[in-house]
Amino acid sequence: MDFEVLRKRMVEEQLIPRGIKNYRVLEAFRKIERHKFVPQELAASAYADYPLPIGEGQTISQPYIVALMTEYLGLTGEEKVLEIGTGSGYQTAILSQLAKEVYSIERLEILAKKTEEKLKAMGYENIKLRCADGTLGWPEEAPFDRIIITAAAPRIPLPLSEQLKEGGKIMLPLGENSIQLLTLAEKTKGKLESSEICNCVFVPLLGKYACKDRDTL
Ligand code: SAH
C-alpha cells in the first residue's frame, strides 16, 4: 500500500476542499505518517475520512477535525503548546512540526506508555509526555501560548485557563452531550473570550476539573 499517495489524497480531497489553507498545516499533514498512529490492523483505513478506535475505548479523530483544530491555533513555530489527551499521539506529532515545544498529557497509563515508546522511536525531540490528569495542567511548565484539549469538556478547566498566557488561545470541544461545539477561546485582559466553530463528537474528558461544578469559562 502506498501510504504517501493516500496521504496526499487525504490532503487534496478532505482538507483543502473544506477550507484548510495554512501551508505549514497542510505540509504537516502530508508528512506525518498517520498509519503509524492507528492499530496495525487498521493501517489501511488510516487516511480515511472518519475517526478510528485506538484501544481503551478511545479514538483518533477524523483527519479534517485534527487539521481544523490545528489551523485555528495559528501556530508560527515559536509557541509552547499544552495538549490534553495524547491518545495515539497523532495530534501531538502534528503539533510538534508546527510549534516550538509540545507538552502532552494522557490519563490512561496503557495509552501513555505505548505512545511514549512510539514517539521516542520516531525521534521527536520537542515533545514531552506525562501520564496524569490533564485537567490540572502542567503547572511547572506554565504559562503556555496555546492549549488544545482533544476530549469533550463541559467547561474549560480552571487550572488550564490559569496556565494560558495573556493573548494565548485554547481550543476544545465544549459540551457534555453526545455532540459538542468546537470552541476557540482567547485570553484577553485575563478573561477568556470564546467563539464557536462547528459541531463535533469527541470522547469525554475525565478528571478533577472535568465536572461542571468545578469549572469556569
Ligand atoms: N489527540 C488524540 C485523541 C485521543 S482521544 C489522538 O490524536 O489520538 C482523547 C484522549 O483523551 C483519550 O486518550 C483519553 O484517555 C484522554 N483523556 C480523557 N480525559 C483526560 C484527562 N483528564 N487528562 C488526560 N487525558 C485525558
Side-chain angles (χ1 to χ4, degrees):
M1 196 165 295
D2 191 339
F3 287 117
E4 203 176 333
V5 169
L6 293 181
R7 224 164 21 251
K8 278 196 182 139
R9 206 176 284 161
M10 167 186 81
V11 169
E12 304 300 322
E13 293 175 4
Q14 301 172 35
L15 307 189
I16 295 172
R18 289 179 180 140
I20 305 296
K21 309 191 213 357
N22 184 283
Y23 177 79
R24 294 177 69 242
V25 172
L26 294 171
E27 272 307 291
F29 279 80
R30 285 191 190 101
K31 184 171 172 198
I32 302 293
E33 298 179 299
R34 184 171 161 99
H35 61 280
K36 295 193 175 160
F37 292 88
V38 304
Q40 231 167 39
E41 64 276 16
L42 296 176
S45 312
Y47 299 96
D49 196 15
Y50 43 76
L52 291 170
I54 53 169
E56 309 304 309
Q58 308 303 323
T59 53
I60 177 172
S61 300
Q62 171 193 13
Y64 169 63
I65 292 294
V66 181
L68 189 62
M69 292 177 90
T70 307
E71 178 143 298
Y72 270 102
L73 286 177
L75 298 168
T76 65
E78 293 305 313
E79 298 80 7
K80 188 171 186 178
V81 181
L82 174 66
E83 179 193 29
I84 312 302
T86 318
S88 69
Y90 179 64
Q91 172 84 73
T92 323
I94 293 282
L95 293 170
S96 85
Q97 299 295 297
L98 299 167
K100 191 170 174 194
E101 303 169 273
V102 183
Y103 293 81
S104 184
I105 309 177
E106 169 58 52
R107 64 178 280 278
L108 291 177
E109 214 174 311
I110 296 184
L111 280 179
K113 208 165 160 234
K114 225 170 38 184
T115 299
E116 179 160 30
E117 282 165 11
K118 188 168 55 191
L119 290 172
K120 210 182 230 172
M122 288 176 170
Y124 290 100
E125 281 175 1
N126 63 344
I127 296 177
K128 293 211 173 59
L129 301 173
R130 167 180 272 188
C131 183
D133 176 1
T135 67
L136 304 173
W138 198 317
E140 309 89 299
E141 290 296 341
F144 296 94
D145 301 293
R146 301 285 186 270
I147 299 178
I148 174 169
I149 308 179
T150 60
R155 288 285 184 276
I156 298 178
L158 180 59
L160 299 184
S161 53
E162 287 173 348
Q163 290 172 30
L164 185 65
K165 239 184 223 170
E166 175 65 24
K169 292 174 185 170
I170 179 164
M171 162 64 77
L172 77 160
L174 200 58
E176 47 197 331
N177 302 320
S178 52
I179 293 185
Q180 305 94 36
L181 269 171
L182 202 59
T183 303
L184 181 72
E186 196 165 340
K187 196 172 193 174
T188 317
K189 295 186 187 139
K191 279 206 168 140
L192 288 176
E193 282 176 14
S194 59
S195 45
E196 295 166 353
I197 297 164
C198 63
N199 286 341
C200 58
V201 178
F202 277 78
V203 296
L205 181 75
L206 303 174
K208 184 169 175 187
Y209 289 88
C211 39
K212 224 172 173 179
D213 51 1
R214 278 187 186 272
D215 302 326
T216 181
L217 178 62

